[in-house]
Amino acid sequence: MKHRIVKPLAFAVGMALCTGAVAATPSVFDVHELDSKISACSDFNGFVNAKWIAANPIPADRTRWGSFDELREASLNVQHKIVEDAASHVAQAKPGSIEQKIGYLYASGMNEAAVNKAGFDPIKSQLADISDLKNTADVVGYIRDSYARGEPVLFRFGGNADFKNSNNEIAYAGQGGLGLPTTDYYSKPDFEKIRTAYVAHIAKLLELTGVGAADAQQQAKSVLAFETRLAAASLARVEMRKPENRYHYVSIADADKVTPSFDWAAFFKTQGADVKDGFSLSQPKFFAEIQKMFSDVPLAEWQAYFRYHAIANAAPYLSAPFQQEDFAFEQQTLNGQKEMQPRWKRVLNTTNDGMGMALGQLYVAHNFSPASKQRAQELVDNLRAAYKTRIENLPWMSDVTKQKALEKWATFVPKIGYPDKWRDWSGLALTPDNYYANVQAADKFNYDYEIAKIGKPVDRSEWSMTPQTVNAYYNAQQNEIVFPAAILQPPFFDAKADDAINYGGIGAVIGHEMGHGYDDQGSKFDAQGNNVNWWTDADRKAFEVRTAKLAAQFDSYEPLPGKHVNGQLTMGENIGDLGGLNAAYTALQMALSKNPAEANKKIDGYTEDQRFFLNWARVWRGSIRPEAQLTLLNTDPHAPAQFRAIGAPSNMPEFAQAFQCKPGDAMVRSPETQVKIW
């Protein structure tokens, strides 16, 4: 349950609006937070954020703290009131309503006494089923039935738009099954201590279910060996960014040739998945290794693997010892978190996992106005116009490819605030007093909901983020940019702010999301969302020359001693930042050209150009625990925040001009290393 199947999305962040100038107040951007002891031209992130970071240490129940985290905390507090109200008024709620179901789910999770009394009783039958496995056919049956319960194991499975026909939803099966963050954790010497801690963690969870210490240790070692084989057959994160490595369409018969011991037709039938002609067996090498493991891995080792993951996936919803051990490894060891979050936050996270869009329906009723949605749309329109101008004036791209790029630009679909229609939750049955059963029911309900889409036309009205999520995203297969309601707040957007603040905040984020349509991987999808090449060979080569320089720039950043950013892993986000900030700057100049009085005045001693870049850096202020930073360097397609604050501006002559920086300053990249793409 803890390791859920999710659709592969790009990323995003932020957004909001503002077109006309509004009288600014000192609270919009507090210039007293700027550190005058640090030169903007040598360390722009330090100049903008050092004082704030020093005054705002990371809370003990967090692994990082910054602008995003402050907004997320605010969103959680709003949601907390909603779920507490639902739980306290559940008896008066309309039977079957989302208010009643949210109230049941949250209240059952907050009943800590009942959860502790149950111990690990909720998974005893599953553990017994694992112990009863007798042969390979039983192993295959267990895998098949686990998915049907909404509890995936061994590989990733779900529906998504067909890479070659984006109007149709097909099934995708892909690599997975690992308990550690990436494949590198199983082989590189750097992670030997984490592997040792992982074995101890596995053994501890097994012991909590009554397995003897010696047996638990042996089983834990076999789980690590099992996952090490899976990791060796898996593609690395950088390779998985490439569309060609995430799509491999085969017939069911051809899939059965890869895994003769695994009957794919029987699997699909058990899931209720409408797979007729074929599906994407996305990483064939991985499934070929699974077939070998069916033959040469002893039954006891399969059982140990299933046993551990059954316990680990359930641990957050079981009694206190399981929750504490889950926290000790997943958060303390891997991410350096000092204290477990309070129970209400953990249960609220589970409520979001199970009924996030229903909670979002209640959230937006009181926290997002139609006027805000309209203003956001206006800013999106302005950024679209700016991006079009930049594409039309690209000096390195031919007219043939520009025409295709503009066709894609014309089909961008913005989604703002919340969906136009809400999901039906009538099939989800919950009770007021059984937390684990409620989590199970929600998992199965959501799994069945996703699987039911396979074989049908793609519903382009759906969202993959809830309105209360402080983030945004771009979906290449639907060519859509999506901005949830919770991100439409300061520092991204502020109704009291001047244009520069809003364009440097949400404007740049809107541009960032548009930029994903033209990043190193998004650019491999056309205006209809299909994975086809719309570039001339010469233009693609010219593009790759520029992206190679951007990769080198980020490869040079060193957030931890001896540990560098991976410029290839973070490439898409870095392209998004660079293109988005440039497009937002162009949009700001277009807005200011209509209001010369604002364009030429200073606010708190800073010009509009300066305030534009100041707010961009403020968005990325924050600090992170070193353990969490190490994990993210290996897993996260986003560069560390401090480098996002400086990476794009250092490539822009407009920044140097705004702050009167000179050649040789750290924030002024030399002509041969300066990157210009979109």
Side-chain angles (χ1 to χ4, degrees), residues 136-406:
T136 299
D138 287 349
V139 167
V140 171
Y142 177 83
I143 295 169
R144 188 170 56 229
D145 294 342
S146 293
Y147 281 87
R149 293 194 302 270
E151 300 173 2
V153 62
L154 193 61
F155 59 87
R156 293 171 63 89
F157 177 72
N160 200 26
D162 189 334
F163 274 28
K164 300 301 181 183
N165 182 357
S166 64
N167 290 319
N168 292 335
E169 186 110 358
I170 65 168
Y172 284 76
Q175 67 185 47
L178 305 182
L180 292 176
T182 72
T183 57
D184 286 344
Y185 281 73
Y186 292 89
S187 57
K188 288 193 173 181
D190 290 2
F191 302 112
E192 184 175 356
K193 289 184 178 179
I194 289 181
R195 289 193 290 274
T196 299
Y198 185 45
V199 169
H201 165 65
I202 296 170
K204 178 64 174 177
L205 283 180
L206 291 170
E207 288 181 50
L208 288 175
T209 63
V211 177
D215 187 14
Q217 183 69 16
Q218 184 56 46
Q219 288 191 51
K221 290 179 179 177
S222 71
V223 171
L224 178 63
F226 187 102
E227 293 184 8
T228 299
R229 280 190 65 171
L230 294 180
S234 301
L235 294 175
R237 287 291 176 104
V238 169
E239 294 303 310
M240 283 292 287
R241 292 190 64 247
K242 301 175 182 177
E244 58 268 30
N245 288 334
R246 303 198 307 272
Y247 181 87
H248 182 73
Y249 193 87
V250 297
S251 66
I252 294 177
D254 284 342
D256 285 341
K257 292 176 184 177
V258 178
T259 57
S261 299
F262 194 88
D263 186 334
W264 284 98
F267 175 77
F268 295 138
K269 182 177 180 180
T270 303
Q271 312 315 308
D274 183 14
V275 179
K276 294 184 176 69
D277 300 325
F279 68 105
S280 177
L281 191 71
S282 299
Q283 294 84 39
K285 177 185 173 183
F286 177 83
F287 289 95
E289 183 65 19
I290 287 179
Q291 176 58 39
K292 293 177 184 177
M293 294 172 75
F294 283 141
S295 302
D296 61 28
V297 172
L299 176 64
E301 295 183 15
W302 278 97
Q303 290 171 310
Y305 174 77
F306 292 149
R307 189 174 291 118
Y308 162 64
H309 282 284
I311 302 168
N313 290 347
Y317 322 112
L318 300 179
S319 58
F322 291 90
Q323 297 170 43
Q324 290 161 0
E325 178 55 34
D326 176 72
F327 166 75
F329 180 74
E330 298 288 347
Q331 299 304 325
Q332 280 188 315
T333 299
L334 288 180
N335 294 299
Q337 188 170 316
K338 304 302 182 186
E339 295 178 3
M340 190 183 296
Q341 287 193 327
R343 185 166 187 84
W344 73 263
K345 286 187 179 180
R346 290 180 278 134
V347 177
L348 178 54
N349 286 339
T350 303
T351 305
N352 268 301
D353 285 342
M355 296 189 67
M357 200 56 79
L359 180 54
Q361 189 172 345
L362 302 182
Y363 175 89
V364 299
H366 303 288
N367 294 280
F368 191 70
S369 69
S372 292
K373 189 167 186 172
Q374 177 58 37
R375 293 190 70 194
Q377 181 64 61
E378 291 171 2
L379 193 61
V380 168
D381 291 343
N382 291 348
L383 263 294
R384 289 184 78 240
Y387 226 106
K388 180 183 181 184
T389 297
R390 296 190 67 83
I391 292 172
E392 290 172 334
N393 292 302
L394 285 178
W396 57 269
M397 180 177 279
S398 70
D399 289 341
V400 174
T401 305
K402 278 184 186 179
Q403 185 60 40
K404 295 293 185 180
L406 291 171

Side-chain angles (χ1 to χ4, degrees), residues 34-57:
L34 301 176
D35 193 336
S36 59
K37 297 178 183 178
I38 300 175
S39 166
C41 297
S42 62
D43 179 7
F44 191 57
N45 180 63
F47 172 67
V48 177
N49 297 321
K51 286 176 67 174
W52 184 92
I53 291 171
N56 292 271

Side-chain angles (χ1 to χ4, degrees), residues 4-136:
R4 291 170 170 80
I5 298 299
V6 294
K7 285 190 176 184
L9 300 176
F11 157 75
V13 319
M15 55 102 33
L17 34 126
C18 177
T19 53
V22 181
T25 68
S27 64
V28 166
F29 189 101
D30 186 357
V31 296
H32 297 97
E33 290 182 341
L34 301 176
D35 193 336
S36 59
K37 297 178 183 178
I38 300 175
S39 166
C41 297
S42 62
D43 179 7
F44 191 57
N45 180 63
F47 172 67
V48 177
N49 297 321
K51 286 176 67 174
W52 184 92
I53 291 171
N56 292 271
I58 302 171
D61 68 344
R62 294 274 190 164
T63 60
R64 54 183 173 182
W65 190 249
S67 294
F68 277 91
D69 306 285
E70 285 189 314
L71 273 188
R72 286 166 181 152
E73 190 74 9
S75 178
L76 285 178
N77 287 331
V78 171
Q79 296 170 57
H80 188 200
K81 293 178 182 177
I82 294 172
V83 295
E84 286 283 354
D85 184 66
S88 62
H89 294 89
V90 71
Q92 293 80 42
K94 180 181 178 182
S97 65
I98 59 173
E99 289 87 352
Q100 183 192 60
K101 292 176 182 182
I102 288 172
Y104 280 167
L105 180 54
Y106 182 76
S108 65
M110 290 304 293
N111 189 347
E112 193 167 8
V115 172
N116 284 334
K117 183 178 179 180
F120 71 100
D121 287 352
I123 61 170
K124 282 183 177 177
S125 62
Q126 185 178 358
L127 295 177
D129 290 343
I130 294 169
S131 295
D132 288 342
L133 300 178
K134 299 293 191 298
N135 49 44
T136 299

Side-chain angles (χ1 to χ4, degrees), residues 573-587:
E573 303 304 325
N574 300 335
I575 293 173
D577 281 354
L578 182 60
L581 193 62
N582 272 283
Y585 183 84
T586 296

